[in-house]
């Protein structure tokens, strides 16, 4: 069985490869997506290191002068997706969207560099200043107050589009000027598995706002109606900063290393100070416009271990929350707390399991020496893929696959994470 799945996973990556860049899946997502490409590169690295580097290099062809690496690079117009390049109006030579996505790249670049230092040296060195500029952009424009936590200006920037985390802050987004539009996602996927129309109206209102200020990073950070510190992006960037620091040290980039070290220290204290909730007993998001902590546990809460956050209080709560949720579902890790009334087991980021998030939590647990929990989440991911194929996401209750099929990042997660049992000694 695993060999067969290996072959299928590699075929999916190859079929979704449009020539140096990979789309998440045909129809639903016909362009290059930022964090998808990072995970896809890890998948390629399991059988073709050269192709893995290429995936990251093509992603950075879309980088902006201010350092931002956009969440979508639109290489050619494809009517099967909405909102396309014209809606974003970003005026880049290579059309892109106007905001970013969780920065998994530095971690992946370190992985593929360390897999073969000789083959990767020149390519990693060429990417290093570009990744540094991107991280600098995050720290400057998504943490303008220097709190050590990273905000997102759009639910799409977090990658967790319709998580209940955003329900409250999104109410502040005025949709009265949104022009009529036609969604494409619901003609590819069962609408009951996708965000609601009310969500889409707000998604588009924020895009209209960004376009109206020419996507100027400073103005967006200052005036965007939605500006919420996200545990997912904060933890992924903290982890990526640690990996970027290792690259800086390997390349003798002392000044950069100093700068990155400061980001890391700020995030370590900032996350606990601003995202920890005693009430929720976990890391939650914080609406920075209202300075209000949200109240729910999501799969992003568990990324603290991937970020290397470790202290007595948060470790004990992590274990309690993990075990509580593990008893409530058949498959970890649901994207939203299954005991919360807002949980929906098939609706996108309001409950389903996402293999990429599992891979990050599992990796963090393994590195922290929690082999039992690491193996539980690894084995659940493998069972989901074995039972329901390479779906976009899965029900944590029934294990059914949902969303798009033959999904690149699920195939990649199989190859670099799910297929490898974690020894228990
Ligand atoms: C979508 O179109 O659903 C994407 O998640 C945006 O990135």
């Amino acid at each position: 069985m695993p060999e067969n799945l290996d072959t299928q996973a590699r075929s999916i990556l190859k079929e979704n490869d449009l020539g140096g860049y990979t789309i998440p899946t045909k129809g639903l997502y016909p362009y290059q997506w930022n964090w998808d490409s990072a995970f896809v590169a890890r998948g390629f690295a399991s059988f073709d290191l050269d192709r893995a580097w290429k995936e990251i290099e093509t992603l950075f062809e879309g980088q902006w002068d201010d350092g931002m690496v956009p969440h979508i690079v639109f290489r050619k117009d494809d009517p099967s997706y909405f909102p396309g390049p014209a809606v974003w109006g970003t005026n880049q030579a290579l059309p892109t969207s106007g905001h970013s996505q969780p920065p998994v790249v530095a971690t992946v670049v370190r992985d593929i560099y360390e897999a073969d230092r000789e083959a990767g040296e020149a390519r990693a060195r060429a990417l290093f200043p570009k990744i540094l500029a991107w991280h600098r952009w995050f720290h400057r424009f998504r943490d303008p107050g220097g709190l050590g936590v990273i905000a997102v200006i759009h639910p799409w920037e977090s990658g967790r589009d319709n998580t209940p985390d955003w329900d409250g802050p999104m109410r502040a987004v005025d949709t009265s000027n949104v022009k009529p539009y036609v969604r494409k996602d619901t003609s590819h996927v069962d609408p009951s598995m996708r965000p609601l129309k009310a969500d889409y109206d707000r998604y588009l209102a924020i895009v209209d706002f960004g376009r109206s200020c020419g996507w100027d990073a400073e103005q967006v950070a200052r005036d965007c109606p939605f500006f919420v510190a996200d545990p997912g992006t904060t933890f992924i960037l903290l982890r990526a900063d640690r990996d970027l620091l290792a690259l800086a040290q390997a390349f003798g980039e002392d000044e950069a290393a100093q700068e990155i070290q400061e980001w890391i220290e700020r995030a370590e204290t900032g996350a606990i100070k601003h995202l920890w909730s005693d009430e929720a007993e976990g890391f939650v998001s914080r609406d920075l416009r209202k300075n209000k902590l949200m109240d729910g546990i999501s799969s992003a809460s568990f990324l603290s271990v991937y970020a290397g956050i470790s202290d007595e209080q948060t470790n004990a709560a992590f274990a309690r929350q993990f075990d509580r949720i593990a008893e409530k579902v058949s498959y970890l890790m649901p994207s939203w707390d299954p005991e919360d009334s807002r949980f929906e087991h098939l609706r996108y980021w309001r409950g389903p399991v996402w293999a990429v998030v599992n891979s990050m939590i599992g990796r963090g647990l393994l590195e922290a020496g929690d082999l039992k929990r690491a193996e539980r989440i690894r084995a659940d991911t493998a069972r989901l893929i074995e039972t329901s194929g390479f779906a976009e996401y899965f029900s944590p209750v029934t294990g059914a696959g949902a969303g798009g099929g033959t999904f690149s990042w699920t195939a990649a997660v199989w190859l670099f994470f799910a297929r490898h049992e974690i020894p228990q000694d």
Side-chain angles (χ1 to χ4, degrees):
M1 175 78 122
E3 262 108 273
N4 184 21
L5 287 173
D6 289 353
T7 314
Q8 282 177 38
R10 289 195 201 115
S11 307
I12 289 173
L13 293 186
K14 288 183 199 155
E15 276 160 26
N16 288 338
D17 176 359
L18 295 199
Y21 73 96
T22 307
I23 59 169
T25 191
K26 296 210 173 89
L28 185 62
Y29 298 122
Y31 299 108
Q32 184 173 23
W33 256 260
N34 185 325
W35 70 331
D36 292 73
S37 269
F39 290 108
V40 157
R42 272 296 307 282
F44 273 124
S46 69
F47 63 99
D48 185 347
L49 266 185
D50 176 60
R51 183 61 189 76
W53 283 111
K54 188 82 189 145
E55 187 72 30
I56 305 290
E57 288 159 354
T58 55
L59 176 67
F60 274 78
E61 286 168 11
Q63 185 168 31
W64 289 20
D65 289 344
D66 66 3
M68 197 267 280
V69 182
H71 100 294
I72 310 175
V73 182
F74 299 110
R75 277 164 204 279
K76 44 182 185 252
D77 216 352
D78 189 321
S80 67
Y81 183 76
F82 176 84
V87 181
W88 289 91
T90 52
N91 287 325
Q92 297 290 309
L94 182 56
T96 71
S97 62
H99 58 66
S100 201
Q101 223 173 15
V104 185
V105 165
T107 303
V108 173
V109 164
R110 180 183 178 190
D111 287 338
I112 59 180
Y113 167 63
E114 291 182 350
D116 184 341
R117 285 172 199 258
E118 215 181 312
E121 172 98 19
R123 299 174 95 164
R125 278 185 185 270
L127 280 166
F128 178 82
K130 299 180 187 180
I131 305 173
L132 180 67
W134 183 27
H135 286 204
R136 202 176 271 144
W137 173 90
F138 260 115
H139 289 288
R140 176 161 173 214
F141 296 114
R142 295 298 185 254
D143 181 17
L147 302 175
V149 292
I150 303 298
V152 290
I153 62 119
H154 195 298
W156 290 338
E157 189 161 66
S158 72
R160 303 187 296 126
D161 302 6
N162 65 341
T163 171
D165 270 331
W166 314 142
D167 290 359
M170 281 295 261
R171 278 187 210 112
V173 177
D174 175 11
T175 57
S176 54
N177 290 323
V178 173
K179 304 256 167 355
Y181 61 93
V182 179
R183 282 172 72 172
K184 302 283 174 71
D185 59 314
T186 41
S187 58
H188 298 290
V189 168
D190 179 348
S192 69
M193 298 174 180
R194 294 287 302 174
L196 304 169
K197 172 162 173 20
D199 298 321
Y200 257 76
D201 288 352
R202 292 179 173 125
Y203 297 159
L204 290 169
I206 303 176
V207 172
D208 288 347
F209 158 79
R211 202 182 50 237
S212 75
C213 49
W215 294 105
D216 176 79
E218 208 162 295
Q219 198 181 337
V220 168
R222 193 184 55 234
D223 300 333
C224 186
F226 182 87
F227 201 71
V228 185
D230 172 29
T233 309
T234 298
F235 290 140
I236 288 170
L237 182 61
L238 173 51
R239 168 60 192 243
D241 276 337
R242 294 190 200 280
D243 293 312
L244 194 62
L245 178 62
L247 290 174
Q249 286 160 345
F251 300 152
E253 296 277 355
D254 298 341
E255 234 174 87
Q258 178 65 37
E259 183 180 2
I260 299 165
Q261 186 63 52
E262 283 163 24
W263 295 337
I264 292 172
E265 281 159 23
R266 201 161 62 210
E268 282 174 340
T269 45
I272 305 225
K273 188 153 171 222
H274 301 291
L275 299 183
W276 177 261
S277 161
D278 279 334
E279 210 183 339
E281 278 198 272
F283 290 103
V284 300
S285 59
R286 178 183 285 274
D287 184 347
L288 294 176
R289 293 290 180 244
K290 298 210 164 95
N291 197 19
K292 186 170 171 246
L293 263 187
M294 301 294 112
D295 58 357
I297 296 294
S298 69
S299 52
S301 308
F302 295 97
L303 289 175
S304 56
V305 74
Y306 173 75
I309 298 263
S310 178
D311 67 54
E312 250 173 59
Q313 182 197 11
T314 60
N315 288 356
F318 184 108
R320 269 199 309 280
Q321 296 283 23
F322 187 103
D323 296 345
R324 172 180 66 80
I325 292 176
E327 279 195 8
K328 293 285 163 213
V329 295
S330 308
Y331 303 89
L332 287 172
M333 178 55 78
S335 45
W336 191 253
D337 188 339
E339 296 198 281
D340 184 275
S341 61
R342 293 161 287 183
F343 172 79
E344 292 179 70
H345 76 120
L346 282 172
R347 200 185 284 282
Y348 213 39
W349 288 90
R350 301 180 80 87
V353 177
W354 291 75
V356 288
V357 177
N358 279 10
S359 76
M360 292 186 283
I361 299 172
R363 181 178 187 162
L365 286 166
L366 174 62
E367 289 168 351
D370 189 341
L371 303 180
K372 201 163 136 264
R373 292 190 180 88
E375 176 54 13
R376 162 81 202 252
I377 203 160
R378 197 282 317 163
D380 284 7
T381 315
R383 280 195 300 132
L384 285 168
I385 294 173
E386 280 157 8
T387 321
S388 300
F390 297 97
E392 185 179 4
Y393 43 90
F394 304 88
S395 163
V397 179
T398 65
T406 58
F407 227 82
S408 297
W409 72 6
T410 310
V413 168
W414 171 261
L415 292 170
F416 72 78
F417 173 68
R419 75 181 304 290
H420 304 287
E421 192 176 332
I422 296 169
Q424 293 299 295
D425 41 59

